[in-house]
Amino acid sequence: ADLPALSRETGVRIVCATGLHQAVHYDPETLDGLSGGRLAGLFVTELTEGIGTTGVRAGLIKVAGGFHGLDAHARRTMTAAAEAHHATGAPIAVHLELGTGALDVLDLLCGELGVPGERVILGHLNRFPDPVAHREAAAAGCWLAFDGPSRAHHATDWRMPEAVSALAEAGFADRLLLGGDTVTAGARSVDGGPGMPYLLRRVRRRLAVVVGDELVERMLGEHPGRAFGTDWK
């Protein structure tokens, strides 16, 4: 309920998500209560009417894959997300566990379930810096999102600029996003990382050394508008 006022005060567009994370984050009774077609119905309601009693509508659907694959829970939530997308036009953002499983996600969402690639946002790709997998995912037309640094993923954080550069050189510069995650979302992150200010103050400059200021500005401005913008049905 506080998000609209926060957006007005800061001048920052805020997009809130509906969706469901991995099963480990919920008690079994909660998941049982969302069986059948209720999960897709919940997503659609939060996209079209509002979240809870706030009247604030979600603007995207967020779901999660597993480590190098999709379990039954992930397939169920992604199936519900696809149904909600087809009903509303909302984009689907995907948490990739340690950056893995991108192609499995696309086989399901874009292959079996008919979600257009440009309506899918794959997150945390720098956590598994495989250039072949990155190019295959980009070729599907989806958005590729790279994170700012965190303690949890320090071992691969330094690979992010070269991964972005490789995709740009392969012709996928128009599919790239740059952002944070819960571990870097505030001035002080939950794991002691440098937070969102560091993303804008240091990571932006570091990335520009490799790919240039023009592409970085597009990744922070134009691309999010295209990735998250929706012509609501």
Side-chain angles (χ1 to χ4, degrees):
D2 294 334
L3 293 180
L6 181 61
S7 179
R8 287 191 294 269
E9 290 170 10
T10 60
V12 174
R13 292 176 183 251
I14 298 174
V15 184
C16 189
T18 185
L20 209 66
H21 210 305
Q22 296 163 335
V24 68
H25 297 291
Y26 307 93
D27 63 73
E29 294 178 356
T30 298
L31 296 179
D32 288 343
L34 293 171
S35 60
R38 287 184 284 248
L39 190 56
L42 173 64
F43 296 167
V44 170
T45 296
E46 294 194 335
L47 289 162
T48 59
E49 299 178 18
I51 300 172
T53 60
T54 65
V56 175
R57 294 186 300 163
L60 74 146
I61 310 156
K62 181 73 181 286
V63 291
F67 184 56
H68 285 290
L70 302 176
D71 59 16
H73 173 81
R75 293 186 68 87
R76 184 168 74 93
T77 57
M78 289 185 191
T79 299
E83 184 177 337
H85 160 78
H86 290 307
T88 64
I92 301 174
V94 183
H95 164 92
L96 298 179
E97 184 68 13
L98 295 179
T100 68
L103 301 183
D104 295 85
V105 169
L106 295 177
D107 284 346
L108 177 60
L109 283 178
C110 302
E112 296 180 34
L113 301 173
V115 178
E118 63 270 18
R119 294 282 74 193
V120 177
I121 301 153
L122 300 176
H124 319 314
L125 286 162
N126 48 294
R127 300 179 187 178
F128 185 64
D130 179 347
V132 175
H134 289 182
R135 286 195 300 270
E136 289 190 40
C142 64
W143 292 94
L144 286 77
F146 293 85
D147 299 331
S150 74
R151 288 181 183 274
H153 306 291
H154 180 68
T156 57
D157 283 339
W158 64 276
R159 300 287 299 273
M160 185 269 285
E162 71 179 46
V164 170
S165 178
L167 285 165
E169 291 175 2
F172 300 114
D174 63 341
R175 313 309 304 165
L176 303 172
L177 295 168
L178 177 65
D181 191 23
T182 53
V183 293
T184 58
R188 292 185 178 180
S189 67
V190 295
D191 71 345
M196 190 64 75
Y198 186 85
L199 183 77
L200 299 175
R201 185 169 56 90
R202 295 296 184 191
V203 175
R204 177 198 298 212
R205 291 168 56 185
R206 172 66 180 87
L207 187 56
V209 171
V210 179
V211 300
D213 289 317
E214 189 269 340
L215 178 55
V216 174
E217 292 308 308
R218 284 165 54 199
M219 291 173 65
L220 292 171
E222 173 196 338
H223 292 185
R226 289 169 47 209
F228 295 102
T230 301
D231 292 326
W232 292 100
K233 296 182 180 178

